[in-house]
Amino acid sequence: MKKQVMAAVCAAAMTASMITGCGGDGESKKAFPVEALTAEETKEKKEEEAGTESAEEAEASALEEEAADLELYNLYIDINNIMVDRFSDVIASYFKYVDFQEEFVPLDEDYWCLSSVSTFYTKMDDAKELAEQKKEKDELDEIFLSLYPAMYELATTLDEVEEYTDMKSYLDDDYAKGKELHAVIWKDYAEYETLGNAFLDKLSAVAAERREASMEQLKADGYEATYAINKMIDTAQEIQTAIYEQGIDDTCILELDIEALQELYDQYVEEVQICLDYLADEDGMYEEGYPINSGYFSLFDDAIKESKTTLTELFQRVREQKPVDEFMLRSSFAEDGTIQKFNETISEIIDDYNKMLSY
């Protein structure tokens, strides 16, 4: 289950001016006392006030729903990113040492697996709460709510395996608990694969629709730097997808067909430079609403540069046929010039971009 990391939807920061009203004639207005109104006039006035309040309440409610919908969508994006990145690595690490079958069969006397990031659980819980609160759930919501139980239990069980193997407790109970945990993992994994892929496919379709509309709006509104940044991220994700579709990871990175990726590479290098040029123009970035004095602004700049460096090193590694160190393949730290490192830099770009906009 390796699909592309996605960027969350963030609105471009804009400045709104507040308009205050003043009386031009200097005269104070005298309000009619309530008792001076006729019964009919009083009724009409109350109906008018009630209508105004109802309209304001309806507008406030609509804005709250829109904000909650955007928050939920961005949570889905975050969950997607963890699923295709860290959680995918957690699952792969488990089945590297345990045979991929219903019966529990360790492939080595010692076995272990990575653990999930704690934010995975928080985001799953927050998304579940928001999805359940929606008055009208769409197909994406229904798929996620169906996926949640198996995904949550699979993650917690794999974390139990990490603790169990880290303490080498399997040597104390002759793998007894390992067998119990494997039974849960095998059950949940089958459901997770089916519903997880359905969730990722549906989210991808929804994201494509939103992104196309968002990109067109950026161009129409004159947000040239923001458009360039989002275009660069799109190209980076195209590269990630192209690598995935070749069926290549860091264990067989030397088989990567870099010639097939050359056009995307050249495009990405060009777009990186365009973005760096925009970022160097602080006045222009400020005009588009970016917090140029924020630490995230410089972090974002650094992340873009690192992504280009990593991609160049990746291509160079393949040209020189230099394999990834075996120790680093087992490590949670990515070696320079690897697919994992490139994926991490793109995740950093997306994270820093979103943090910068929310600053």
Side-chain angles (χ1 to χ4, degrees), residues 74-336:
N74 284 339
L75 281 169
Y76 284 158
I77 295 293
D78 291 340
I79 290 168
N80 170 101
N81 294 345
I82 296 173
M83 287 172 67
V84 303
D85 190 8
R86 179 66 180 189
F87 195 48
S88 177
D89 291 340
V90 171
I91 294 170
S93 69
Y94 176 76
F95 284 113
K96 184 176 181 180
Y97 293 94
V98 176
D99 202 6
F100 188 75
Q101 61 178 27
E102 185 172 2
E103 182 183 358
F104 176 69
V105 179
L107 300 176
D108 198 297
E109 180 180 345
D110 292 328
Y111 82 108
W112 69 285
C113 78
L114 297 169
S115 61
S116 297
V117 290
S118 60
T119 53
F120 192 25
Y121 299 104
T122 304
K123 292 181 185 299
M124 281 193 284
D125 286 338
D126 289 347
K128 178 176 179 288
E129 182 179 352
L130 285 174
E132 288 178 336
Q133 288 174 355
K134 287 182 68 172
K135 297 176 182 177
E136 295 183 8
K137 299 175 181 58
D138 57 28
E139 184 180 355
L140 182 59
D141 300 324
E142 297 291 357
I143 294 173
F144 173 75
L145 290 173
S146 297
L147 167 65
Y148 173 88
M151 181 163 62
Y152 198 97
E153 186 176 59
L154 179 60
T156 55
T157 307
L158 286 166
D159 278 354
E160 284 190 66
V161 171
E162 190 276 333
E163 182 178 355
Y164 175 70
T165 56
D166 184 59
M167 297 180 66
K168 296 191 180 295
S169 298
Y170 51 86
L171 298 178
D172 299 326
D173 67 357
D174 193 26
Y175 300 93
K177 184 177 180 180
K179 293 176 184 178
E180 294 176 6
L181 295 174
H182 180 77
V184 178
I185 291 169
W186 186 255
K187 171 183 68 71
D188 288 337
Y189 179 75
E191 191 172 355
Y192 171 75
E193 272 293 287
T194 301
L195 293 174
N197 280 317
F199 172 72
L200 296 182
D201 288 341
K202 186 60 182 178
L203 180 59
S204 180
V206 172
E209 292 175 4
R210 291 197 179 206
R211 195 155 188 80
E212 183 178 355
S214 177
M215 292 291 279
E216 289 301 316
Q217 192 63 47
L218 286 174
K219 284 198 295 185
D221 293 343
Y223 287 93
E224 297 179 3
T226 305
Y227 176 84
I229 290 168
N230 281 272
K231 186 69 174 65
M232 178 195 67
I233 292 174
D234 281 349
T235 301
Q237 294 182 330
E238 283 188 58
I239 294 172
Q240 290 177 303
T241 301
I243 292 174
Y244 166 71
E245 289 177 346
Q246 285 191 29
I248 303 296
D249 60 23
D250 286 328
T251 62
C252 55
I253 191 172
L254 303 186
E255 299 173 24
L256 184 66
D257 183 0
I258 56 176
E259 294 302 320
L261 299 173
Q262 190 62 49
E263 185 176 346
L264 279 174
Y265 173 88
D266 294 338
Q267 180 179 326
Y268 187 66
V269 170
E270 180 181 351
E271 290 173 353
V272 162
Q273 190 55 56
I274 290 172
C275 288
L276 292 177
D277 289 343
Y278 274 120
L279 290 171
D281 178 13
E282 293 190 353
D283 290 340
M285 294 300 292
Y286 180 78
E287 286 297 317
E288 288 201 21
Y290 286 89
I292 58 176
N293 295 322
S294 164
Y296 292 123
F297 189 84
S298 59
L299 285 174
F300 180 60
D301 184 277
D302 292 341
I304 293 175
K305 293 174 182 175
E306 186 178 12
S307 73
K308 189 276 174 189
T309 300
T310 297
L311 187 60
T312 299
E313 290 174 341
L314 192 161
F315 272 56
Q316 191 63 24
R317 177 187 291 278
V318 177
R319 290 193 186 96
E320 296 176 354
Q321 289 293 285
K322 181 181 177 182
V324 181
D325 184 86
E326 183 67 27
F327 173 78
M328 293 303 295
L329 287 174
R330 295 186 55 177
S331 172
S332 59
F333 297 98
E335 186 175 351
D336 292 340

Side-chain angles (χ1 to χ4, degrees), residues 29-37 41 45:
K29 306 278 186 180
K30 186 176 181 179
F32 284 104
V34 174
E35 59 270 19
L37 297 174
E41 288 173 330
K45 185 172 185 296

Side-chain angles (χ1 to χ4, degrees), residues 61-80:
S61 178
L63 289 173
E64 286 180 5
E65 287 184 13
E66 185 179 345
D69 183 62
L70 180 59
E71 182 183 357
L72 176 58
Y73 173 74
N74 284 339
L75 281 169
Y76 284 158
I77 295 293
D78 291 340
I79 290 168
N80 170 101

Side-chain angles (χ1 to χ4, degrees), residues 32 34 37 39-52:
F32 284 104
V34 174
L37 297 174
E40 186 62 31
E41 288 173 330
T42 301
K43 180 181 177 183
E44 290 177 358
K45 185 172 185 296
K46 287 182 178 179
E47 288 177 349
E48 181 181 345
E49 290 174 348
T52 301

